[in-house]
Amino acid sequence: MSDFIASYTNLQHKIKQLALKNHTHPACLIAVSKHFPIASIQAAYDAGQRDFGENYIQEWSDKWRQLPDDIVWHIIGNIQSNKTKEVAQRADWVHSISRLKIAQRLSDQRPSHLAPLNICIEINIAKEPQRHGIAPEELLDLALSIESLPNLKLRGLMCVASDADHEMVAKQMQQMQQLFLQYQNRFHWDTLSMGMSSDWEIAVAYGATHIRIGSALFGQRIYQ
Ligand SMILES: *Cc1c(COP(=O)(O)O)cnc(C)c1O
């Protein structure tokens, strides 16, 4: 059995076990393929994986054209204005929205034959200045504005927790859950996107519906 298949099977099993224990639906697994080659994505696809996450639009652009059409692409990184068009034309989700201007461009550029682009608003729950995302106090205004855009569907919230100890990560994820619950009914949200290789089990305990896993599936990323 390849390393990928072993990690994949193991992760899927753990996700199911946790869901049974918590009496919830299993979290949707997004395989984060940034910095991994097309061959790795294809292998994951062949094993049955369909949801993939990418951070860098240029890198994603080189990849998606060479991969099967039925991949569900989740953009999870910051988008510059000059890259919104391609995202609007091919992505299925953008998890990392923190500026209205980018959301407006995505809505304007979304082709009318496609379903609305699914959107999550990114919250800087770690309150770290180098990170993307808005402050919780800014959420209501941005959510109301995005709600009014015709070709987007606002599905919920996303965060990247601090790279810190268990207690701090749990505290941030609990804050995310509270924020999500506060507005869930008003906006009909169904998505809380949080949890990565190191902290997804904590995320699921605090209601994550989508987890974004890279290195635990594909191995260590190589940065050039
Ligand atoms: C890279 C990345 C992930 C996956 O991280 P791993 O630690 O490799 O699982 C998830 N979310 C975002 C926003 C990322 O940039």
Side-chain angles (χ1 to χ4, degrees), residues 54-64 83 86:
E54 286 278 343
N55 294 61
Y56 307 102
I57 306 308
Q58 189 55 57
E59 181 187 339
W60 170 65
S61 181
D62 297 338
K63 288 174 170 173
W64 69 258
K83 306 280 190 199
E86 184 170 359

Side-chain angles (χ1 to χ4, degrees), residues 22 35 37 40 45 63 75-76 123 141-142 166 186 197 203 207 216:
N22 297 336
H35 297 309
S40 300
Y45 179 92
K63 288 174 170 173
I75 301 301
I76 60 172
I123 306 291
D141 277 354
L142 184 58
H166 182 288
R186 173 166 185 174
S197 293

Side-chain angles (χ1 to χ4, degrees), residues 32 34 55 76 158 160 195-198 212-216 221:
V32 176
K34 64 162 178 250
N55 294 61
I76 60 172
M158 177 272 214
V160 177
M196 314 190 352
S197 293
S198 61
R212 310 178 309 265
I213 310 290
S215 46
R221 272 184 297 276

Side-chain angles (χ1 to χ4, degrees), residues 8 16 26-27 45 54 62 65 105 119 122 128 130 149 159-160 163 180 198 208 220 223-224:
Y8 186 52
K16 282 205 192 96
Y45 179 92
E54 286 278 343
D62 297 338
R65 293 162 211 280
R105 289 178 66 90
I119 298 289
E122 180 169 359
E128 291 167 3
Q130 76 278 16
L149 297 172
C159 77
V160 177
D163 194 8
F180 177 75
S198 61
Q220 282 305 314
Y223 291 96
Q224 259 124 26

